């Protein structure tokens, strides 16, 4: 797909979202039997009311007994009070203070990865830096060998590619994920067994001794949570870094402003998260009937909550299609909202900032390789490209 056509597709998506926000903000899709929420206020409402919009989408998705064990430690699917208990066990590992201590290691890894490409005159932002960095960081945090990262990348890519439809009741889609999920489960289970015998200074070891109301977590819960981190913690950050380069190279005036004042880096990253939100949407299931804008969504319905659309809602963001690295306020929903707000947000922001700063400082003439085919991720859950060649 050429740059022109990927741009045309992006513009068409934004047009489509703008129209539907205006005409049918609470939309039922006859084909997929899914409800959709598109406006900022409705997205925030849904994410703020877990008693009405439950995260337990497994409760209405056809069950695959072979992979039930995989969803045990998946906190994104939990409602209170289980969610609060589980989240409190792991949130200490991701506070901004703890994450800030990882900065020197992330900087060293970034420089190491960039040293390997400086001898060339071209690199692929995704392959050479955006994909390996978050995987190494999360592997080190969990305590699994970062040398296995090709394997982790393959798992993420396979699962993202399998989840190409926005219909989580699609049995074929779920079945296509099973072999990869099994392989990932087996791999992580070995580490859980190992750390129960010989604990180390890593997250898996800490989870093997953690307790919820006096009860230890079982292997499946630890494996499920570790898999979520391996997946959620890497592909989204990879996409964020790629999207940052896409946004900046699409807006040369923004890149010049940033080069002149690097203190704008954090707000530039927030604008990338708003403008090209890595997670396009998330899902909820209605626990009871709920009426929004005069439309009643019955109980036990799957609802797509469109984060990307909320982040382009003109009711919340003046001139939303303008990429403005000084935008203030910028209360985007790219990391979600409420009790499930992304645990890894401080880490993703830090990795994004360190990589962007290094790229801008080390490659003063960085630009996109022209006339190249850019390939978007096919999945409707994520907004990003699979490769992004640049030169200097
Ligand atoms: C939750 C986005 C990076 C771990 C979420 C949610 C979003 C999100 C939208 C909420 C989902 C929902 O409410 O249904 C992102 C984006 C990232 C990113 C855009 C990168 C730019 C990370 C990283 C980690 C991580 C680096 C871990 C190291 C999690 C976890 C949850 C979560 C564990 C579940 C929290 C809960 O259910 O309480 N993320 N994420 N994420 N994220 Fe992230």
């Amino acid at each position: 797909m050429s740059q022109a056509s990927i741009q045309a597709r992006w513009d068409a998506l934004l047009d489509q979202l703008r129209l539907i926000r205006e005409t049918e903000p609470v939309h039922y899709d006859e084909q997929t039997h899914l409800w959709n929420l598109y406006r900022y206020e409705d997205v925030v409402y849904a994410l703020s009311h877990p008693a009405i919009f439950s995260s337990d989408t497994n409760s209405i998705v056809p069950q695959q007994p072979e992979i039930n064990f995989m969803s045990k430690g998946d906190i994104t699917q939990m409602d209170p009070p289980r969610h609060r208990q589980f989240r409190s066990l792991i949130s200490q590992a991701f506070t901004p203070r703890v994450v800030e201590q990882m900065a020197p290691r992330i900087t060293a890894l970034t420089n190491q990865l960039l040293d390997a490409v400086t001898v060339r005159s071209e690199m692929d932002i995704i392959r050479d830096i955006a994909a390996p960095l978050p995987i190494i960081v999360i592997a080190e945090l969990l305590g699994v060998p970062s040398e296995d990262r090709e394997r982790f990348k393959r798992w993420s890519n396979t699962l993202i590619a399998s989840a190409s439809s926005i219909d989580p009741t699609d049995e074929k889609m779920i079945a296509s994920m099973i072999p990869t999920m099994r392989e990932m489960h087996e791999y992580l289970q070995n580490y859980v067994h190992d750390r129960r015998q010989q604990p180390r200074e890593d997250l898996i070891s800490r989870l093997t001794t953690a307790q919820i109301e006096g009860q230890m977590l079982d292997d499946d819960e630890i494996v499920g949570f570790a898999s979520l981190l391996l997946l959620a913690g890497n592909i989204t950050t990879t996409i964020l870094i790629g999207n940052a380069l896409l946004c900046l190279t699409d807006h040369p005036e923004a890149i010049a402003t940033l080069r002149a004042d690097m203190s704008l880096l954090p707000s530039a990253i927030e604008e990338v998260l708003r403008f090209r939100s890595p997670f396009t949407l998330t899902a909820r299931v209605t626990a009871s009937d709920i009426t929004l804008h005069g439309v009643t969504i019955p109980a036990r319905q799957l609802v797509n909550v469109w984060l990307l659309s909320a982040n382009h809602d003109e009711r919340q963001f003046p001139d939303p299609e303008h990429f403005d690295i000084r935008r203030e306020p910028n209360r985007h929903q790219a990391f979600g909202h409420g009790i499930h707000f992304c645990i890894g947000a401080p880490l993703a922001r830090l990795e994004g900032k360190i990589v962007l700063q290094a790229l801008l400082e080390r490659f003063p003439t960085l630009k996109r390789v022209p006339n190249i085919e850019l390939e978007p991720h096919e999945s409707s859950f994520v907004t990003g490209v699979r490769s992004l060649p640049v030169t200097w």
Side-chain angles (χ1 to χ4, degrees), residues 355-385:
V355 171
L356 266 195
Q357 179 154 5
L359 284 170
L360 293 176
E361 281 174 1
R362 295 184 59 161
F363 304 93
T365 57
L366 192 77
K367 54 179 180 299
R368 288 242 282 277
V369 176
N371 305 320
I372 206 88
E373 304 277 309
L374 286 185
E375 210 188 318
H377 280 282
E378 279 310 322
S379 167
S380 9
F381 291 101
V382 294
T383 301
V385 289

Side-chain angles (χ1 to χ4, degrees), residues 285-353:
V285 53
T286 46
S288 53
D289 292 6
I290 170 80
T291 303
L292 296 167
H293 305 289
V295 179
T296 300
I297 310 177
R300 294 186 56 73
Q301 300 293 302
L302 267 172
V303 182
N304 282 324
V305 180
W306 284 76
L307 307 174
L308 176 69
S309 177
N311 289 340
H312 283 261
D313 189 341
E314 36 294 283
R315 289 156 201 81
Q316 175 69 20
F317 299 101
D319 202 1
E321 262 53 291
H322 175 50
F323 178 75
D324 177 5
I325 62 169
R326 295 179 193 269
R327 188 177 287 274
E328 178 65 44
N330 189 353
R331 295 193 195 91
H332 64 74
Q333 298 300 313
F335 288 122
H337 187 87
I339 62 169
H340 290 278
F341 180 82
C342 177
I343 282 185
L347 179 58
R349 285 176 164 136
L350 181 66
E351 288 181 42
K353 187 177 122 190

Side-chain angles (χ1 to χ4, degrees), residues 31 33 43 65 69 87 90 145 198-199 238 255 291 318 322 350 357 371:
Q31 274 180 351
H33 305 292
V43 164
F69 61 87
R87 183 164 168 133
I90 41 157
Q198 291 172 311
T238 299
I255 212 167
T291 303
H322 175 50
L350 181 66
Q357 179 154 5
N371 305 320

Side-chain angles (χ1 to χ4, degrees), residues 5-19:
S5 63
I6 199 175
Q7 184 64 39
R9 235 169 90 146
W10 172 246
D11 291 342
L13 174 64
L14 293 184
D15 284 347
Q16 195 188 332
L17 292 175
R18 187 181 315 113
L19 181 69

